Amino acid sequence: MTRKRKMTAMLLALTLATGSLAACSSGNNNPPANSGGTTNSPSENTGNSDAPDTITALLPPVSPAYQENFKQMEEEFNKLYPNLTLKIEPASWEDMTQKLDTQVNAGSPPDLAFIGSDGISKYAQMDMLMDIQDLVTPEMLADFDEAPLEYMKNGDGLYGFPAYMEVHAIGGNKQYMEEAGIDWKAVQENGWTYDEFREAIQSGVVQENGNTRYGFVFATAGVASKDYLSILVKNAGMPSPFTEDLKYAYTSNNYLDVLKAIREMIDDGSMPRELSSVDAGKRWNMFLTGQTMITGKGLAVFENSANQNNEKIKAGDGSAVADSIEVDYLVLPMPSFGDHDPVSYAVVDGYVAFRGKNEPTDEHKANVVKAAYFLASGNVAATTNSDLFAAHITESGREAAASIESNRNPDNVAAVDRMLEHAAPARPDIPVDLGAQAIKVENETIIPRLQALLADEITPEEMFEDVKKAAIAAFGEDGVVQD
Amino acid sequence: MSRATSRARNRLNRGDSAWAYLFIIVALLVYALFTAYPVLSAFIISFQEYSPRGSTYIGIDNYTSILQSELFYKSIRNTIIYTVLTVPVALILSFAVSIMIMPLQKRLQTTFKAVYYLPAVASGVALAVVWLWIFDPMSAGVLNRFLGFFGLDSQNWLGSSSTAMFSLVLMSWLSSHGTAIIIYVAALLGIDSSYYEAADIDGANFFQKMWHIVIPCLKPTTLFLLVTGVIGSFQVFQNAYLMTGGGPNHATTMVGLLIFDTAFKYFEFGKAAAQSLLLALMIGIIAFLQFKFLGKDVEY
């Protein structure tokens, strides 16, 4: 080998080696000087309230137009706080949890992330959340409705601001319900019992042209089965997995009644026997194509989706759902079991504050709170919640939304408001370790057994016994409800 | 050889060795950073309760907890069932296809190889969407319509414990043979034609040639595909994750998926690391046994 060739080869090898090392170097992740830092510890900000700082936020497409407004949101925030930069990292709903979990477990989460309030206990247990209780101003607190704000608490800590409070309801096809002789207005106003609901969905089953139109289809494939069970048990005297004296509630006989009901509705043909494989997309398709009278779960925004599809059908637009029909979407409450009061499954999502391996400075914490409040209130909240057909939960949001036009069905608006009055209260008193154990029982026992119950592979009694066994193993004999 | 010449040669050898090390340094670094370090790190984490804000040493608690877990054994059983049902069939199908396309013209042969290799290039997620459509549980589903032609009832393919595993196995049978086919075809081309000529002279028929020439000559290839197939099958994750999520009732929870869930659903990275090391140990033992019992008379 000539000296020249050796030198060239050596240079190439060194370049590659240096490149490999540089790519893996943590130095690459360091924030640029004076950026304020994209991590949680911008040391240069300490002690100076006007020092520049950057707040990072990981945000999914909360509403259809949400991510299109990111640039505008960043600019407005910077106009409001000239020394601060809001840096938004977009994520799809599919990637959101995995992206956030990866960043959290690596010890470098974003300052803010948009997540469900039910995720708070998970991250609180890891000690990765930032308690903003002492950083929020009384004005900020006064802007929020109390009920949704409670959902952002865990123990004594407040970990973020809520964006909206929605209810998991069910949705009905107005025409089919009227054909089945169901007084949907009375149901919206007064609710219904399980027996009334069962009678209604039985009367909604229609055979036409060799196809079956079902009375009720709920998405239960995979982890969606958790939603189905949760939404039902809340109306059977178990608004939370834990009673007020912190005993695990799903060992109560009320739970068995719900499991029996789940099987009954499939066995009598009101729901498809293939229910265990029906996912969210499939059941919405079944609803729009007239294969079911009622579907779940239903969110207020589904009215918007149905309206948009109706418009496409009217306009002969080929992007309308194939074989779909025009549907008047009705928001309906879930039925209540026995003598139990109806309790709505409230969904509170919002902007949760995180901290990394290193404790952020007080200055940075205060800036994160400013960014969280900016995103959860005023114009941003008004635009997002109107887009979502969700109720406004801040005074500033309501004021800003006053000028935004809405084509929501007023009956549906009233029905959602009534359900919000019955929303299950937040339970910040449940200790994180108990919450984590309950999630484990849910993932390892309840969801798999529920899948088997839906597929008619085990009986409600067998599932109930398995759940009881797992609950007693997790919480002890004295830690569960025995009735 | 004079002492001076010997010293000069040693110096030259040492110089060449240094160059050799320099040339492999990139590969070595990549291996050290992305394979050796993660394995070492996983080994350390497996004795810890992991937390981003500081892990704690808990001895062998993760291992004892795994070995007491019913779900771990169920996932191993599922993985073994999946492996037993997929790997041999994959070998037989790949072998059969290779034999069938061998006599074809080179251009046609290449076309078939490309067609069979296509699923390996396509995105697994895209393929899963197609398969979800095929396994639609309603009577309008593709596979259920097929059953309907024979007067059979619709099946809840992915939603029932009795058919979910079979559905994943069916997916495996009908895809992903491209690599094995290419390797088998390459091996078939390597068999000396004089063997076939001698067999023709002796009046051997097709099956006799298969049995006495092709199968023995392809033994090293078959062993390689068997070992790598079993390793791949033990690490199977994607299809179960995308198609069933491990359900229903853990009927399709394989070890790979269990490790993923332990790490990313429950954030128990220590336990997940321990599970992955136990899986590596199992794969190592199986590969050793395969080489020991099947590789005796294999010549490379």
Side-chain angles (χ1 to χ4, degrees), chain A residues 225-236:
Chain A
S225 56
K226 178 175 76 172
D227 290 340
Y228 184 41
L229 191 54
S230 304
I231 206 170
L232 287 169
V233 296
K234 285 204 169 4
N235 288 282

Side-chain angles (χ1 to χ4, degrees), chain A residues 339-368:
Chain A
D339 299 328
H340 300 289
D341 291 330
V343 175
S344 308
Y345 186 146
V347 184
V348 177
D349 298 339
Y351 302 91
V352 173
F354 286 83
R355 57 181 182 159
K357 273 180 190 167
N358 306 318
E359 189 65 21
T361 61
D362 290 345
E363 190 72 27
H364 186 65
K365 283 180 180 176
N367 293 336
V368 170

